Amino acid sequence: TWHIPEASKTAIIYFGGNAEDVALNIAPFTKKFPGLSLYLPNYRGYGGSTGCPTEKGLYADALTLFDSISGQYSHMTIIGRSLGTGVAAYLAGQRDIRSLILITPYDSMVDTAAHHYPFFPVSLLLKDRYDSIRHTQNITAKTLILVAEHDTIIPGERSSRLAEAFQTGQAHLELIENTDHNTISLAPRYQSILTGFISSK
């Protein structure tokens, strides 16, 4: 886990996308979120971490990290992107978290895969299901969902279905125009929405 410490009672934990080198976010995150402590964990098998990145293992790692640092902070924001939204949603459903941000999220990996491969029995083939929609019933955090207008990897309908599963008024969905799955973070509006949400208490 990469840790950028600050003398702050507010911290961010960021769970990245599949095979994402989270270390590349250190410089931009430090600039975007000045004064906040940052934690960017590497998934098992990536970034020098050992092991295999299974769903069960990533969930366990997320809980271990949160429990080891939560006592130091009064406000924690959990951010997940793409694959990491499943880990973030699970963590938010298991622990008392004030703020949750899901970037290009899915309702479940099974339904997302079924969209791309409608003629395959993906529900039987996929071992790691990342059923984020199931965790929404236990999430109490205020939630921001960011969706790329032209996302061909995680269709907008999958993100919308996840947003609709939250309690009324709990989750706010923002569509970032003229972006796709990989370029959403480059949009100026993306950054303003993100920082505005994190700075609000």
Side-chain angles (χ1 to χ4, degrees), residues 82-87 104-109 112 129-133 154-155 158-159 162:
S82 192
L83 173 67
T85 62
V87 182
T104 61
Y106 46 84
D107 49 353
S108 79
M109 194 64 76
T112 301
R129 309 178 75 84
Y130 292 100
D131 194 6
S132 296
I133 199 167
I154 298 177
R158 304 266 57 93
S159 299
L162 177 68

Side-chain angles (χ1 to χ4, degrees), residues 5-50:
E6 291 286 349
S8 171
K9 284 297 184 180
T10 300
I12 293 173
I13 302 178
Y14 173 78
F15 298 102
N18 182 41
E20 177 182 346
D21 183 357
V22 294
L24 297 178
N25 290 290
I26 294 176
F29 274 29
T30 302
K31 182 178 180 180
K32 292 173 184 177
F33 312 121
L36 303 186
S37 291
L38 305 174
Y39 294 85
L40 298 88
N42 285 308
Y43 296 140
R44 299 182 181 197
Y46 295 103
S49 294
T50 59

Side-chain angles (χ1 to χ4, degrees), residues 25-159:
N25 290 290
I26 294 176
F29 274 29
T30 302
K31 182 178 180 180
K32 292 173 184 177
F33 312 121
L36 303 186
S37 291
L38 305 174
Y39 294 85
L40 298 88
N42 285 308
Y43 296 140
R44 299 182 181 197
Y46 295 103
S49 294
T50 59
C52 181
T54 64
E55 177 182 13
K56 182 179 180 180
L58 299 191
Y59 286 170
D61 291 344
L63 290 175
T64 297
L65 172 60
F66 182 87
D67 290 344
S68 68
I69 66 174
S70 60
Q72 305 173 43
Y73 304 101
S74 59
H75 186 115
M76 297 187 68
T77 295
I78 307 303
I79 302 177
R81 180 167 181 170
S82 192
L83 173 67
T85 62
V87 182
Y90 170 81
L91 177 58
Q94 296 293 316
R95 296 294 186 267
D96 183 19
I97 291 169
R98 295 266 301 276
S99 305
L100 174 66
I101 299 175
L102 303 175
I103 304 164
T104 61
Y106 46 84
D107 49 353
S108 79
M109 194 64 76
V110 170
D111 289 337
T112 301
H115 172 91
H116 291 291
Y117 307 104
F119 302 111
F120 287 88
V122 293
S123 63
L124 301 177
L125 297 174
L126 280 183
K127 179 181 179 181
D128 292 339
R129 309 178 75 84
Y130 292 100
D131 194 6
S132 296
I133 199 167
R134 181 169 60 88
H135 303 309
T136 58
Q137 60 185 326
N138 298 319
I139 296 174
T140 58
K142 65 173 185 175
T143 303
L144 173 66
I145 295 175
L146 298 178
V147 178
E149 182 180 15
H150 304 298
D151 196 331
T152 58
I153 296 177
I154 298 177
E157 64 189 74
R158 304 266 57 93
S159 299

